[in-house]
Amino acid sequence: MAGFDKRVASYEEAMEGIEDGMTVLAGGFGLCGIPENLIAEIKRRGVKNLTVASNNCGVDGFGLGVLLEDRQISKIFASYVGENALFEQQMLNNEIEVVLTPQGTLAERMRAGGAGIPAFYTATGYGTPIGEGKEVREFNGRHYILEEALVGDFAIVKGWKADRYGNVVYRHTAQNFNPLAATAGRITVVEVEEIVEPGELEPSQIHTPGIYVDRIIQGSFEKRIEKRTVHGA
Amino acid sequence: MALTREQMAQRVARELEDGFYVNLGIGIPTLVANYIPEGMDVMLQSENGLLGMGRFPTEEELDADMINAGKQTVTARPGAAIFSSAESFAMIRGGHVDLTVLGAFEVDQEGNIASWMVPGKLIKGMGGAMDLVAGAENIICTMTHASKYGESKLLEKCTLPLTGAGCISRVLTDLAYLEIKDGAFVLKERAPGVSVEEIIEKTAGKLVVPDHVPEMTFVEE
């Protein structure tokens, strides 16, 4: 890689350095905007004992769900899981540790991780099982709990377009957790539908500035739809 | 007669105001979108990062990159904005959403809500519900008044793990519209043909019954 050229030639190169026991932050909401091919590469490599932070854990045979097949994930931070039978089975057998995290707290934990903020107070979860054992402080008569930032050894991100400098834009609601994960990876890998020439992306429209991004690769995507709902159906 | 799901959605829709930003939960709350009064402009927020959710797409418009928080394919209306999950929850947690409508398993007279977890059953997660109840000033909780076994869901104290503490002030059930004030449910309206006695019988928490409890009216659609 020369200078600011973040492009890598293969998925193997894109995930170079991932090892057993690492923490991986993943973008995506349900099956929307997930880094399909980076997940497939993690599966291919067979690394185990991963800690994953992602809003969901995919479905049977797709998304992060494929990493369950060979028991590659030992711990997951997520707000909503259990869309797949394998996940339920591993959760019930205590083969996977699930840290249920409110969706906004999960997003903010990643954002904080990327922004150098070690922890933050939030009202979300106060007085619920989520708040148990956490520091509580009162500000202006309201109670808040302390939540810690999340950072990853790797962040895996799905973008729409990027340039070789690693500037990324996302398409529609496929944005979701992607720009947050992108800021909080020690190594941030972004796969996109199209790599464009520098200058083609409008600077003020860029969602993830290249400073956060280490590796860029162009891929092709299945983009499976989880709940197909149409007008007048 | 107990209200139908559609009637519950219709009743909630009367609490909408022109210019409101509204987050609708899954289930009955989603149906509220069908009853936004003519001439009123309401912007629907979907917590995966969409402000200005439109109708479902046609086959031609169908797009895997365009979904709502329920993971259904949707469209964006003219004037919509799309953003990250952190931005979305900044709106929610920062109290910028004017009205939140969501379902629950139990609500109690202190305004506590339980909606995400039944111990002993498989736990799928709270999604954005804890953020929504902690962030909104104005929440309407929709649920059936009693379980199918006749057990009240309006309690003195929630028995299930909480989603939020002291955050609910309005509840619409299939039998009644109630407010929560000073540690009690206050009966404001009853479903057509439902007696005050039936509501008293099916409310386990402390219930304040005013001298006059008007009956809800619905025009035939």
Side-chain angles (χ1 to χ4, degrees):
Chain A
M1 275 186 278
F4 293 111
D5 191 348
K6 313 278 176 82
R7 291 173 296 180
V8 294
S10 67
Y11 275 95
E12 195 175 349
E13 201 182 326
M15 291 310 295
E16 189 57 49
I18 190 161
E19 292 170 13
D20 290 357
M22 281 189 165
T23 296
V24 178
L25 311 182
F29 182 93
L31 300 181
C32 182
I34 57 172
E36 302 177 14
N37 304 297
L38 295 172
I39 293 167
E41 174 61 18
I42 293 173
K43 179 174 172 61
R44 195 192 66 77
R45 285 171 172 262
V47 286
K48 305 247 187 205
N49 199 23
L50 297 174
T51 294
V52 172
S54 167
N55 191 55
N56 316 89
C57 196
V59 297
D60 281 320
F62 198 65
L64 289 169
V66 303
L67 300 185
L68 300 170
E69 293 162 5
D70 300 316
R71 295 181 166 69
Q72 289 176 268
I73 303 175
S74 58
K75 183 176 182 180
I76 184 164
F77 294 88
S79 85
Y80 195 82
V81 290
E83 297 290 358
N84 46 42
L86 196 53
F87 188 91
E88 291 185 13
Q89 192 193 321
Q90 291 184 15
M91 188 159 73
L92 293 170
N93 293 344
N94 290 319
E95 290 171 321
I96 186 166
E97 182 188 350
V98 183
V99 185
L100 288 173
T101 308
Q103 199 174 127
T105 295
L106 185 64
E108 194 66 13
R109 288 182 72 178
M110 289 188 194
R111 196 192 76 77
I117 297 166
F120 57 91
Y121 288 99
T122 178
T124 299
Y126 172 74
T128 79
I130 297 306
E132 282 169 18
K134 289 177 182 157
E135 183 188 323
V136 175
R137 260 190 76 176
E138 198 178 317
F139 296 94
N140 302 317
R142 245 196 121 181
H143 292 96
Y144 298 82
I145 59 173
L146 186 68
E147 292 279 6
E148 291 184 16
L150 272 173
V151 290
D153 296 300
F154 272 82
I156 55 172
V157 170
K158 159 69 175 52
W160 179 30
K161 294 179 182 179
D163 60 27
R164 74 170 80 104
Y165 294 99
N167 295 308
V168 183
V169 294
Y170 304 93
R171 188 168 175 276
H172 303 330
T173 61
Q175 181 172 168
N176 56 61
F177 282 82
N178 279 297
L180 312 166
T183 64
R186 193 169 54 77
I187 298 175
T188 291
V189 188
V190 184
E191 60 171 332
V192 294
E193 295 171 41
E194 190 184 355
I195 295 180
V196 301
E197 285 302 311
E200 277 188 48
L201 301 176
E202 175 64 36
S204 64
Q205 303 291 315
I206 285 166
H207 295 120
T208 294
I211 193 168
Y212 296 111
V213 176
D214 299 286
R215 301 174 189 170
I216 283 280
I217 187 164
Q218 182 173 311
S220 58
F221 299 85
E222 177 184 336
K223 291 198 190 181
R224 199 179 288 185
I225 292 176
E226 199 164 345
K227 288 179 187 165
R228 182 191 178 88
T229 39
V230 291
H231 185 59
Chain B
M1 280 283 284
L3 300 182
T4 63
R5 288 162 56 86
E6 285 71 23
Q7 285 174 319
M8 288 176 71
Q10 269 178 278
R11 176 61 192 86
V12 171
R14 288 176 201 163
E15 303 299 317
L16 298 171
E17 290 180 29
D18 197 21
F20 259 20
Y21 294 102
V22 180
N23 183 292
L24 301 175
I26 291 164
I28 292 166
T30 303
L31 300 176
V32 174
N34 300 334
Y35 298 103
I36 298 169
E38 194 82 21
M40 187 183 284
D41 203 4
V42 166
M43 202 68 94
L44 300 177
Q45 205 261 13
S46 190
E47 63 266 25
N48 58 316
L50 169 61
L51 186 63
M53 179 166 62
R55 56 164 173 72
F56 291 135
T58 61
E59 285 287 345
E60 293 70 36
E61 290 167 331
L62 200 68
D63 187 334
D65 290 337
M66 198 60 226
I67 66 166
N68 65 16
K71 296 167 189 132
Q72 297 170 308
T73 45
V74 290
T75 58
R77 54 164 274 179
I82 293 174
F83 33 81
S84 76
S85 299
E87 186 75 52
S88 183
F89 282 93
M91 290 171 197
I92 291 166
R93 293 150 76 119
H96 303 278
V97 175
D98 296 301
L99 176 67
T100 292
V101 186
L102 79 176
F105 301 145
E106 295 175 347
V107 171
D108 72 26
Q109 64 197 35
E110 302 298 334
N112 298 319
I113 174 174
S115 67
W116 70 286
M117 174 183 178
V118 180
K121 291 199 178 163
L122 187 75
I123 301 152
K124 293 199 172 192
M126 71 294 284
M130 285 191 181
D131 303 285
L132 283 159
V133 298
E137 288 275 311
N138 192 6
I139 304 171
I140 299 175
C141 197
T142 62
M143 58 188 204
T144 56
H145 208 96
S147 75
K148 57 185 170 185
Y149 307 108
E151 291 159 341
S152 180
K153 296 181 179 182
L154 277 62
L155 306 174
E156 187 183 335
K157 195 172 190 322
C158 286
T159 62
L160 297 170
L162 297 185
T163 307
C167 50
I168 304 298
S169 56
R170 296 195 282 171
V171 183
L172 177 75
T173 73
D174 54 341
L175 303 183
Y177 178 62
L178 311 99
E179 289 180 3
I180 299 173
K181 211 180 164 193
D182 303 327
F185 293 100
V186 182
L187 182 57
K188 304 298 280 190
E189 295 172 30
R190 57 199 168 89
V194 170
S195 67
V196 168
E197 288 69 31
E198 182 180 351
I199 295 165
I200 292 171
E201 187 199 327
K202 290 184 174 166
T203 306
K206 187 178 173 191
L207 181 68
V208 174
V209 182
D211 290 340
H212 177 64
V213 181
E215 199 175 76
M216 295 174 207
T217 53
F218 293 92
V219 284
E220 290 299 319
E221 296 274 316

